[in-house]
Amino acid sequence: MAVHSAPSAGPQRFDLVVSGGLLADPLSPEPFAGDLAVRDGRIAAIGEPGTLAGRERVDATGLLVAPGLIDLHSHVYAPRTSLGVPADTVGVEQGVTTVVDAGSCGSDHWDDFAGNVVTVAATRVLSWLNISRHGLVHGRTELAGGPGDIDEAATEKLLREHPDRVRGVKVRMSSSVLGDSGLEPLRAAKRVAARVGRPVMVHVGNEPPRLADVLDLLGEGDVVTHAFHGKPGGLFGSEDAARRAVARGVRLDVGHGSASLNFATAERALAAGFFPHTISTDVHVGNVEGPVHSLVTTLNKLLGLGLDPHQVIRCATLHPAQVLGMDDELGTLRVGGAADLTLLRLVERTAVLTDADGDTRTTHTQMEAARTVRAGRLHTPGTSTG
């Protein structure tokens, strides 16, 4: 796929035109042929095939032109945490234009995170700020110390001062994290988030607390990540509470991770009508070489479980943008929105994909990230997106 130079821009010319592909706008029922033009880092126009001209041209023949992929759950606070990977390594270099760090950072370390991660990455980096003031800087039991681990006022202050970057509150509600803290960290996260009108992302895993008790505290717009894990309890230990929560507008997120996407659980969930609202990776140093690899690989696993390409694209574009309250800016091909694009190639190829528990499924159709446009600038993904 080539990028072609064009004559100097005149009044009707744009900075960049992507042509020849199918525009996979999640707001459209299916992809459609068309040109997409970029000016000053924004989507400036959509036209019939061959009708727009720009200083640069991307030939997207044979590709899906999707909004930039959004990874709603990642860990990119490197090197201050043991989990952190460089944002661009799992971002623009893998076809992902926005990563949301899910609780690596708490209120104590926001300035360091902002200065050394957020402002230096080509990828857009947003944050679910950990309700623990320490985040994951001192390890993975950040809520086991009791009330002293939480500073509600400092967390709220950062949510108010940095609304463009801090989009919600993260809390990890599993026994290995909490010690004797019980449900109180979740209640604290909900209090803070409610005061600023932002959602909470809740990590679920090993009980206690019971998933049903966690779900009963959540409301519209909140996110349950690791919803399809295969650990004891889980979705099918609290099915009635899960149905009530989904009916209230609680969102189920994949959050693949090292132990949290189980094919059998996901298949059972899909059959029972529990569909992922968002598909994310929980990518970190312990799983980026496998089984997670990338967001595109995670999307391929959901393709292998029966979702279609337009569904999985929606779960990694429009839906996370809505969760973040940024769907006027991200997640669609709307004129005026950010010129964040992921060009995807659908290939017919047999592959064996592995879940977080070592189980496998064979697939015959996969997506590959062929090109990334972030704020109007082109990036070429590496080979790690397979």
Side-chain angles (χ1 to χ4, degrees), residues 118-134:
V118 173
T119 61
V120 300
T123 308
R124 177 185 285 101
V125 179
L126 306 176
S127 174
W128 295 99
L129 194 67
N130 201 318
I131 191 62
S132 165
R133 63 189 303 166
H134 321 294

PDB file of all heavy atoms in Angstrom, residues 118-134:
ATOM      1  N   VAL A 118       2.163  10.278  29.149  1.00  0.00           N
ATOM      2  CA  VAL A 118       1.065  10.896  28.412  1.00  0.00           C
ATOM      3  C   VAL A 118       1.573  11.874  27.364  1.00  0.00           C
ATOM      4  O   VAL A 118       1.150  11.841  26.195  1.00  0.00           O
ATOM      5  CB  VAL A 118       0.108  11.607  29.388  1.00  0.00           C
ATOM      6  CG1 VAL A 118      -0.947  12.398  28.631  1.00  0.00           C
ATOM      7  CG2 VAL A 118      -0.548  10.601  30.325  1.00  0.00           C
ATOM      8  N   THR A 119       2.476  12.761  27.764  1.00  0.00           N
ATOM      9  CA  THR A 119       2.864  13.855  26.870  1.00  0.00           C
ATOM     10  C   THR A 119       3.923  13.481  25.852  1.00  0.00           C
ATOM     11  O   THR A 119       4.158  14.249  24.918  1.00  0.00           O
ATOM     12  CB  THR A 119       3.367  15.067  27.686  1.00  0.00           C
ATOM     13  OG1 THR A 119       4.511  14.668  28.453  1.00  0.00           O
ATOM     14  CG2 THR A 119       2.279  15.578  28.618  1.00  0.00           C
ATOM     15  N   VAL A 120       4.554  12.324  25.996  1.00  0.00           N
ATOM     16  CA  VAL A 120       5.640  11.967  25.073  1.00  0.00           C
ATOM     17  C   VAL A 120       5.226  10.936  24.039  1.00  0.00           C
ATOM     18  O   VAL A 120       5.967  10.710  23.074  1.00  0.00           O
ATOM     19  CB  VAL A 120       6.877  11.470  25.846  1.00  0.00           C
ATOM     20  CG1 VAL A 120       7.394  12.534  26.791  1.00  0.00           C
ATOM     21  CG2 VAL A 120       6.586  10.176  26.599  1.00  0.00           C
ATOM     22  N   ALA A 121       4.094  10.298  24.195  1.00  0.00           N
ATOM     23  CA  ALA A 121       3.686   9.238  23.282  1.00  0.00           C
ATOM     24  C   ALA A 121       3.012   9.813  22.044  1.00  0.00           C
ATOM     25  O   ALA A 121       2.278  10.800  22.116  1.00  0.00           O
ATOM     26  CB  ALA A 121       2.735   8.271  23.988  1.00  0.00           C
ATOM     27  N   ALA A 122       3.250   9.177  20.897  1.00  0.00           N
ATOM     28  CA  ALA A 122       2.492   9.507  19.690  1.00  0.00           C
ATOM     29  C   ALA A 122       1.057   9.014  19.825  1.00  0.00           C
ATOM     30  O   ALA A 122       0.123   9.615  19.290  1.00  0.00           O
ATOM     31  CB  ALA A 122       3.154   8.888  18.468  1.00  0.00           C
ATOM     32  N   THR A 123       0.871   7.916  20.530  1.00  0.00           N
ATOM     33  CA  THR A 123      -0.456   7.379  20.820  1.00  0.00           C
ATOM     34  C   THR A 123      -1.157   8.282  21.828  1.00  0.00           C
ATOM     35  O   THR A 123      -0.522   8.804  22.743  1.00  0.00           O
ATOM     36  CB  THR A 123      -0.314   5.967  21.421  1.00  0.00           C
ATOM     37  OG1 THR A 123       0.510   5.173  20.566  1.00  0.00           O
ATOM     38  CG2 THR A 123      -1.655   5.303  21.619  1.00  0.00           C
ATOM     39  N   ARG A 124      -2.466   8.464  21.665  1.00  0.00           N
ATOM     40  CA  ARG A 124      -3.221   9.178  22.698  1.00  0.00           C
ATOM     41  C   ARG A 124      -3.280   8.289  23.935  1.00  0.00           C
ATOM     42  O   ARG A 124      -3.683   7.132  23.861  1.00  0.00           O
ATOM     43  CB  ARG A 124      -4.643   9.490  22.221  1.00  0.00           C
ATOM     44  CG  ARG A 124      -5.496  10.171  23.293  1.00  0.00           C
ATOM     45  CD  ARG A 124      -6.932  10.364  22.860  1.00  0.00           C
ATOM     46  NE  ARG A 124      -7.061  11.455  21.895  1.00  0.00           N
ATOM     47  CZ  ARG A 124      -7.185  11.301  20.593  1.00  0.00           C
ATOM     48  NH1 ARG A 124      -7.212  10.069  20.077  1.00  0.00           N
ATOM     49  NH2 ARG A 124      -7.287  12.332  19.785  1.00  0.00           N
ATOM     50  N   VAL A 125      -2.889   8.818  25.095  1.00  0.00           N
ATOM     51  CA  VAL A 125      -2.911   8.069  26.347  1.00  0.00           C
ATOM     52  C   VAL A 125      -3.902   8.725  27.299  1.00  0.00           C
ATOM     53  O   VAL A 125      -3.746   9.883  27.681  1.00  0.00           O
ATOM     54  CB  VAL A 125      -1.516   8.007  27.000  1.00  0.00           C
ATOM     55  CG1 VAL A 125      -1.588   7.227  28.319  1.00  0.00           C
ATOM     56  CG2 VAL A 125      -0.500   7.364  26.061  1.00  0.00           C
ATOM     57  N   LEU A 126      -4.917   7.968  27.672  1.00  0.00           N
ATOM     58  CA  LEU A 126      -5.893   8.395  28.663  1.00  0.00           C
ATOM     59  C   LEU A 126      -5.725   7.545  29.911  1.00  0.00           C
ATOM     60  O   LEU A 126      -4.924   6.621  29.932  1.00  0.00           O
ATOM     61  CB  LEU A 126      -7.310   8.256  28.100  1.00  0.00           C
ATOM     62  CG  LEU A 126      -7.568   8.964  26.766  1.00  0.00           C
ATOM     63  CD1 LEU A 126      -8.974   8.672  26.259  1.00  0.00           C
ATOM     64  CD2 LEU A 126      -7.342  10.464  26.887  1.00  0.00           C
ATOM     65  N   SER A 127      -6.492   7.857  30.955  1.00  0.00           N
ATOM     66  CA  SER A 127      -6.292   7.166  32.231  1.00  0.00           C
ATOM     67  C   SER A 127      -7.598   6.862  32.933  1.00  0.00           C
ATOM     68  O   SER A 127      -8.497   7.705  33.005  1.00  0.00           O
ATOM     69  CB  SER A 127      -5.425   8.033  33.158  1.00  0.00           C
ATOM     70  OG  SER A 127      -5.319   7.453  34.452  1.00  0.00           O
ATOM     71  N   TRP A 128      -7.690   5.618  33.432  1.00  0.00           N
ATOM     72  CA  TRP A 128      -8.576   5.279  34.536  1.00  0.00           C
ATOM     73  C   TRP A 128      -7.713   5.424  35.788  1.00  0.00           C
ATOM     74  O   TRP A 128      -6.828   4.595  36.033  1.00  0.00           O
ATOM     75  CB  TRP A 128      -9.056   3.835  34.433  1.00  0.00           C
ATOM     76  CG  TRP A 128      -9.920   3.485  33.272  1.00  0.00           C
ATOM     77  CD1 TRP A 128      -9.525   2.875  32.120  1.00  0.00           C
ATOM     78  CD2 TRP A 128     -11.341   3.672  33.172  1.00  0.00           C
ATOM     79  NE1 TRP A 128     -10.600   2.676  31.300  1.00  0.00           N
ATOM     80  CE2 TRP A 128     -11.736   3.149  31.919  1.00  0.00           C
ATOM     81  CE3 TRP A 128     -12.306   4.217  34.024  1.00  0.00           C
ATOM     82  CZ2 TRP A 128     -13.064   3.166  31.490  1.00  0.00           C
ATOM     83  CZ3 TRP A 128     -13.631   4.238  33.596  1.00  0.00           C
ATOM     84  CH2 TRP A 128     -13.999   3.720  32.347  1.00  0.00           C
ATOM     85  N   LEU A 129      -7.914   6.465  36.564  1.00  0.00           N
ATOM     86  CA  LEU A 129      -7.074   6.715  37.728  1.00  0.00           C
ATOM     87  C   LEU A 129      -7.431   5.736  38.841  1.00  0.00           C
ATOM     88  O   LEU A 129      -8.598   5.587  39.210  1.00  0.00           O
ATOM     89  CB  LEU A 129      -7.270   8.151  38.206  1.00  0.00           C
ATOM     90  CG  LEU A 129      -6.238   8.690  39.193  1.00  0.00           C
ATOM     91  CD1 LEU A 129      -4.875   8.841  38.537  1.00  0.00           C
ATOM     92  CD2 LEU A 129      -6.712  10.047  39.740  1.00  0.00           C
ATOM     93  N   ASN A 130      -6.424   5.038  39.359  1.00  0.00           N
ATOM     94  CA  ASN A 130      -6.667   4.051  40.411  1.00  0.00           C
ATOM     95  C   ASN A 130      -7.193   4.735  41.665  1.00  0.00           C
ATOM     96  O   ASN A 130      -6.692   5.779  42.078  1.00  0.00           O
ATOM     97  CB  ASN A 130      -5.367   3.309  40.728  1.00  0.00           C
ATOM     98  CG  ASN A 130      -5.605   1.970  41.392  1.00  0.00           C
ATOM     99  OD1 ASN A 130      -6.443   1.819  42.261  1.00  0.00           O
ATOM    100  ND2 ASN A 130      -4.830   0.965  40.975  1.00  0.00           N
ATOM    101  N   ILE A 131      -8.218   4.156  42.281  1.00  0.00           N
ATOM    102  CA  ILE A 131      -8.713   4.706  43.539  1.00  0.00           C
ATOM    103  C   ILE A 131      -7.657   4.584  44.629  1.00  0.00           C
ATOM    104  O   ILE A 131      -7.656   5.368  45.589  1.00  0.00           O
ATOM    105  CB  ILE A 131     -10.029   4.013  43.976  1.00  0.00           C
ATOM    106  CG1 ILE A 131     -10.677   4.786  45.134  1.00  0.00           C
ATOM    107  CG2 ILE A 131      -9.788   2.562  44.340  1.00  0.00           C
ATOM    108  CD1 ILE A 131     -11.072   6.214  44.804  1.00  0.00           C
ATOM    109  N   SER A 132      -6.726   3.638  44.479  1.00  0.00           N
ATOM    110  CA  SER A 132      -5.577   3.590  45.379  1.00  0.00           C
ATOM    111  C   SER A 132      -4.619   4.715  45.032  1.00  0.00           C
ATOM    112  O   SER A 132      -4.233   4.866  43.865  1.00  0.00           O
ATOM    113  CB  SER A 132      -4.848   2.253  45.259  1.00  0.00           C
ATOM    114  OG  SER A 132      -3.568   2.334  45.865  1.00  0.00           O
ATOM    115  N   ARG A 133      -4.223   5.462  46.007  1.00  0.00           N
ATOM    116  CA  ARG A 133      -3.310   6.570  45.757  1.00  0.00           C
ATOM    117  C   ARG A 133      -1.977   6.090  45.168  1.00  0.00           C
ATOM    118  O   ARG A 133      -1.285   6.829  44.467  1.00  0.00           O
ATOM    119  CB  ARG A 133      -3.074   7.347  47.051  1.00  0.00           C
ATOM    120  CG  ARG A 133      -2.402   6.533  48.149  1.00  0.00           C
ATOM    121  CD  ARG A 133      -2.385   7.263  49.474  1.00  0.00           C
ATOM    122  NE  ARG A 133      -1.719   8.557  49.348  1.00  0.00           N
ATOM    123  CZ  ARG A 133      -1.784   9.518  50.257  1.00  0.00           C
ATOM    124  NH1 ARG A 133      -2.509   9.349  51.359  1.00  0.00           N
ATOM    125  NH2 ARG A 133      -1.144  10.641  50.088  1.00  0.00           N
ATOM    126  N   HIS A 134      -1.604   4.829  45.428  1.00  0.00           N
ATOM    127  CA  HIS A 134      -0.325   4.289  44.969  1.00  0.00           C
ATOM    128  C   HIS A 134      -0.397   3.731  43.552  1.00  0.00           C
ATOM    129  O   HIS A 134       0.640   3.507  42.932  1.00  0.00           O
ATOM    130  CB  HIS A 134       0.141   3.136  45.874  1.00  0.00           C
ATOM    131  CG  HIS A 134      -0.127   3.343  47.320  1.00  0.00           C
ATOM    132  ND1 HIS A 134       0.498   4.341  48.050  1.00  0.00           N
ATOM    133  CD2 HIS A 134      -0.945   2.699  48.188  1.00  0.00           C
ATOM    134  CE1 HIS A 134       0.063   4.279  49.299  1.00  0.00           C
ATOM    135  NE2 HIS A 134      -0.812   3.304  49.403  1.00  0.00           N
TER     136      HIS A 134
END
